[in-house]
Amino acid sequence: MDIRFDGRVAIVTGAGAGLGRSHALGLAARGAKVVINDLGASTEGEGRSESAASAVVDEIRAGGGEAIAHGADVADEAGVRDMVDQAMGQWGRIDILVNNAGILRDKTFAKMTLDDFRKVVDVHLMGSATCAHAVWPIMRERKYGRIVLTSSASGLYGNFGQANYGAAKAAMMGLMNVLHMEGARDDIRVNTLAPTAATRMTESLMPEQALELLAPETITPGLLYLVSEDAPSRTTLGAGAGCYALTKVYETEGVLLEGADNTPEGVAARFAEISDPAGQKELTDAFQQTRKYARKAADARGLTLPWGD
């Protein structure tokens, strides 16, 4: 079955250029009506212009699709609410939200101002939360929604000089995990895309040959799957140059230290065993870890806890 979005309405933030533009064009080409959100700011978040968003709207309409532009700052609750209201007024529904908007203010942590730290977190994390919060009641009422958050290898694995960006991008996994749980009853599926792409934010960091391989268009197919009707949920999909992989968090089996052994020296003495990946598992919620630890301690004492698996 072809993946189509006929009748669906999507909001794509940061859609005036790069990945956002590619995602918006991909959705429109497969039948979606698209809100092109873009503040028109520089990569550092300075300035404002409607031209980039309008150009993408014109491109979609020239191809026979439907789109409107909106220049809301994703971290501005009132602006986001107006964007959502305009989409509802135009089409009466919102099915898909792609949180893609972002900025960079790279410096080492020693040289970074806290204003620059806050600004990056505001755009990436609070912007994603603000947009998701605005569409959440609409999706709950319709019993359908697809939300994608945009993370990065800088957040999942770290990158020198990006403490602000890395912190914001790592937070996407935590936000996804909780929204996945809270949205499951209403068929709201929440995923995270971790792209490596050639965009205006990365063009100065890569050789020309790599830029050609890492075109945004090589990533958008993964995004389209993550917002499709049969999408997974709670998935972190790495993507770049047509390559796709999943990032997962595992916990080792670990050990129980009791009594006189439960000391810093005891942890140090058994740290290799604590770190042993044999038997590691992916946990699906925070309380699963609590049950695991309590059960280990109870088993050692011959106790039975009234918890199922």
Side-chain angles (χ1 to χ4, degrees), residues 40-181:
S42 69
T43 57
E44 293 81 23
E46 303 292 345
R48 193 167 193 145
S49 172
E50 298 179 2
S51 60
S54 296
V56 178
V57 168
D58 291 344
E59 196 170 354
I60 289 172
R61 290 176 177 173
E66 294 185 51
I68 59 174
H70 200 285
D73 179 340
V74 293
D76 173 40
E77 188 175 351
V80 170
R81 170 51 55 194
D82 183 71
M83 175 175 67
V84 168
D85 287 347
Q86 287 197 32
M88 291 297 291
Q90 183 82 9
W91 295 305
R93 61 190 295 165
I94 297 172
D95 306 282
I96 296 165
L97 169 64
V98 179
N99 289 293
N100 171 77
I103 63 170
L104 289 176
R105 292 190 178 183
D106 294 353
K107 287 183 181 178
T108 61
F109 194 58
K111 297 179 180 179
M112 184 181 295
T113 67
L114 288 180
D115 283 344
D116 281 345
F117 197 102
R118 289 189 189 94
K119 182 61 178 179
V120 170
V121 171
D122 279 347
V123 173
H124 290 274
L125 175 56
M126 290 308 301
S128 296
T130 300
C131 291
H133 194 264
V135 303
W136 196 256
I138 297 167
M139 292 180 173
R140 288 190 65 197
E141 183 177 357
R142 295 188 60 83
K143 304 295 183 184
Y144 184 93
R146 300 292 182 265
I147 297 175
V148 167
L149 310 168
T150 301
S151 186
S152 167
S154 296
L156 299 174
Y157 309 117
N159 197 33
F160 190 90
Q162 290 193 315
N164 48 7
Y165 182 77
K169 289 307 191 184
M172 297 303 168
M173 183 175 287
L175 181 59
M176 171 189 71
N177 288 340
V178 175
L179 294 188
H180 155 77
M181 293 176 180

Side-chain angles (χ1 to χ4, degrees), residues 5-12 24 27-36 60 64-68 87 90-96:
F5 301 97
D6 301 293
R8 300 291 187 196
V9 173
I11 295 175
V12 183
L27 284 161
R30 290 173 179 261
K33 303 172 178 66
V34 189
V35 178
I36 307 300
I60 289 172
E66 294 185 51
I68 59 174
Q90 183 82 9
W91 295 305
R93 61 190 295 165
I94 297 172
D95 306 282
I96 296 165

